[in-house]
Amino acid sequence: QEQLVESGGGLVQPGGSLRLSCAASGSIFSGGATMAWYRQTPTNQRELVAWITNGGSTKYANFVKGRFTISRDNAKNTLYLQMNSLKPEDTAVYYCNRYYSQATWGQGTQVIVSA
């Protein structure tokens, strides 16, 4: 059964940092899937944040470039998102999934950036 479990969100002040984790069932990581972080904003827009190939190549949306770092541990079937210099506009529910052919979405993890 495919499953995605995101964690690590919370309330943080502007300029702060958080590290998100995503535990994925093996079938999601299998076959060298490119994995990605997405976010759903308070206005219900779903945005692609960053993605990473099985080999470790990464790409970022312009609005997080230089602040966020995506990584993966294939042995643990886990995806990470290190978020630094957080801004109030980063407030969203963050989800992980495959970049192509998304699996069933997890519950996400809420990130609130506020003073």
Side-chain angles (χ1 to χ4, degrees), residues 14-19 63-64 66-69 81-87 90:
S17 298
L18 284 173
R19 189 190 194 209
F63 52 78
V64 303
R67 300 188 297 122
F68 291 11
T69 302
L81 186 68
Q82 177 66 44
M83 306 189 297
N84 298 328
S85 302
L86 282 160
K87 303 176 181 180
D90 294 319

Side-chain angles (χ1 to χ4, degrees), residues 12-27:
V12 63
Q13 292 187 341
S17 298
L18 284 173
R19 189 190 194 209
L20 307 184
S21 297
C22 167
S25 61
S27 61

Side-chain angles (χ1 to χ4, degrees), residues 95-108:
Y95 300 86
C96 64
N97 212 321
R98 286 194 290 253
Y99 182 78
Y100 303 104
S101 302
Q102 285 89 14
T104 301
W105 295 89
Q107 84 288 350

Side-chain angles (χ1 to χ4, degrees), residues 55-95:
S57 296
T58 58
K59 292 283 186 183
Y60 297 91
N62 285 338
F63 52 78
V64 303
K65 201 173 290 185
R67 300 188 297 122
F68 291 11
T69 302
I70 188 172
S71 60
R72 64 192 289 165
D73 185 334
N74 290 339
K76 295 181 179 179
N77 292 336
T78 303
L79 186 70
Y80 302 100
L81 186 68
Q82 177 66 44
M83 306 189 297
N84 298 328
S85 302
L86 282 160
K87 303 176 181 180
E89 50 264 43
D90 294 319
T91 293
V93 180
Y94 285 73
Y95 300 86

